[in-house]
Amino acid sequence: MSKKYKFAVIATDVVILAMDNGELKALLIKMKKKPFADSWAAPGGLVGGSESVDAAAERVLREKTGVSHVYLEQLYTFGKVSRDPFGRVVSVAYFALLPNIDVKLKTTNEYADVRWFPAADLPKLAYDHKEIIECAVNRLRAKLEYTNIVYGLLPAEFTLSDLQKTYEAILGRRLDKRNFRKKILALGLVATTGKKTIGEPNRPAVLYRFKKRSLQNIEVL
Amino acid sequence: MSKKYKFAVIATDVVILAMDNGELKALLIKMKKKPFADSWAAPGGLVGGSESVDAAAERVLREKTGVSHVYLEQLYTFGKVSRDPFGRVVSVAYFALLPNIDVKLKTTNEYADVRWFPAADLPKLAYDHKEIIECAVNRLRAKLEYTNIVYGLLPAEFTLSDLQKTYEAILGRRLDKRNFRKKILALGLVATTGKKTIGEPNRPAVLYRFKKRSLQNIEVL
DNA sequence: CCAAAAGTGTTGAACCTACACCCATGT
DNA sequence: ACATGGGTGTAGGTTCAACACTTTTGG
């Protein structure tokens, strides 16, 4: 870590988000090493010398959740000199959206634990990870309003109520059911699958799918 | 530049933008070294070992223009393995907005030339700088619509026509004068100074100022 | 007096918000 | 039968887009 030659360690931290029962959750790992023993943190890792930063973020995501081909976006780069007590580490943060919270959590012996936490109620976090996760949630919240990013948090088929609950959880406010459905259908981002939910103790709901599962800028709400 | 130890060089590139006579311009430097001799590029530099990435961007800006305390925002981090033929360099890009294009350009002997170019009509650029500058202009364009970021491109006192020309140049479309003025005044972001322009061969215009010169999220257009 | 840019209101259309009841299913 | 969430329309207010002429100055 020479000052003279201006080399630095580049790390990536990935804020992994998913909906769980109408609540936005973030995947955190519990650290073993001092000075952050028993602190929680977003999963991260060093960027390899012949690996792009994007590829490193995908790798970290895959190592922790086994998933790939999900929504993954670069968030911000955290470059304060003393953000890591081990030395000069610049972290390029990303956030990932999973369409399903039921992933096998691969708990290596590198970490003491891996768990989902409500994004609105996080434990004490190591490094500047509180700031990073808040940054991710703010970015997601902002993008909900002018893109179709929400597709990243929903499975292939979903009800309009699922969609509305996702919006409400992230925006932190209730939306009017009739106005919401009118707006969503008018935007033409979703199509019915023809199928309906079955086995629930109430009226079956029509299942929809996203016409396109790629990011598009559109006035959503 | 060891693969094993995962060290890398961290650089910062700063896209410096200013309005010039109703046109958005970007400050570029002409390079001397191969393989980019005589190519143009956004000003950049290496991040020092005991310097935050933000501070490095401020330094690069100051070295090229002599200015500080202007709008400066982190843009994106470019981390492809082969983006720089000299070796593994990860670049944290920023963009700066100057309220005035009349700055003394400090042309060191490090570069062959320093000049302003229309952002819509750039020369051949070194590295991935075309992508970086387009990214900056897109970010600026997007933020025009939901923040007061435009203050960064205007001097302390300006006319509503100056403001409108700035919007039009960056958005790339004409705006209706009456609707524009109605909207801007309704937002309450600007106040009159009481002064008027003098010495122009037409009716004097009232000079306005921004009430706050700090970034705020507001539905602007 | 001419050229140039400043300044100023209205109208119709589109959009947004608020709001309450019946429906289909499982238990 | 009852509990649960699914599904549907309208009316009033607000906002937006389109549009042309008069004013004030310098030359």
Side-chain angles (χ1 to χ4, degrees), chain A residues 74-79 90-93, chain B residues 53-54 74 76-77 92 94:
Chain A
Q74 193 191 106
L75 186 58
Y76 198 80
T77 295
F78 294 82
V90 171
S91 172
V92 185
Chain B
V53 180
D54 285 353
Q74 192 192 108
Y76 198 79
T77 295
V92 185
Y94 285 72

Side-chain angles (χ1 to χ4, degrees), chain B residues 84-153:
Chain B
D84 188 327
F86 293 107
R88 182 65 194 277
V89 179
V90 171
S91 172
V92 185
Y94 285 72
F95 73 100
L97 305 180
L98 305 191
N100 192 330
I101 202 168
D102 303 315
V103 291
K104 283 196 209 86
L105 298 181
K106 299 186 178 178
T107 171
T108 65
N109 62 0
E110 195 182 347
Y111 302 115
D113 201 355
V114 187
R115 286 209 337 234
W116 291 98
F117 285 85
D121 185 20
L122 297 168
K124 273 276 185 194
L125 292 163
Y127 309 105
D128 49 5
H129 283 199
K130 184 171 195 293
E131 189 185 352
I132 294 178
I133 295 175
E134 283 173 0
C135 185
V137 175
N138 287 338
R139 174 80 60 90
L140 173 61
R141 186 176 295 136
K143 285 207 158 184
L144 272 191
E145 311 226 14
Y146 66 92
T147 72
N148 63 343
I149 194 172
V150 71
Y151 77 81
L153 288 165

Side-chain angles (χ1 to χ4, degrees), chain A residues 1-3 6-10 46-54 74 76-81 88 90 92, chain B residues 1-3 6-10 46-54 74 76-81 88 90 92:
Chain A
M1 199 105 24
S2 156
K3 288 188 187 185
K6 298 182 175 176
F7 283 65
V9 173
I10 300 181
L46 300 185
V47 176
S50 54
E51 178 186 48
S52 75
V53 181
D54 285 352
Q74 193 191 106
Y76 198 80
T77 295
F78 294 82
K80 288 204 190 107
V81 175
R88 182 65 194 278
V90 171
V92 185
Chain B
M1 197 107 24
S2 157
K3 289 187 186 183
K6 298 181 175 175
F7 283 65
V9 172
I10 300 180
L46 300 185
V47 176
S50 54
E51 177 186 50
S52 75
V53 180
D54 285 353
Q74 192 192 108
Y76 198 79
T77 295
F78 294 82
K80 288 205 191 104
V81 175
R88 182 65 194 277
V90 171
V92 185

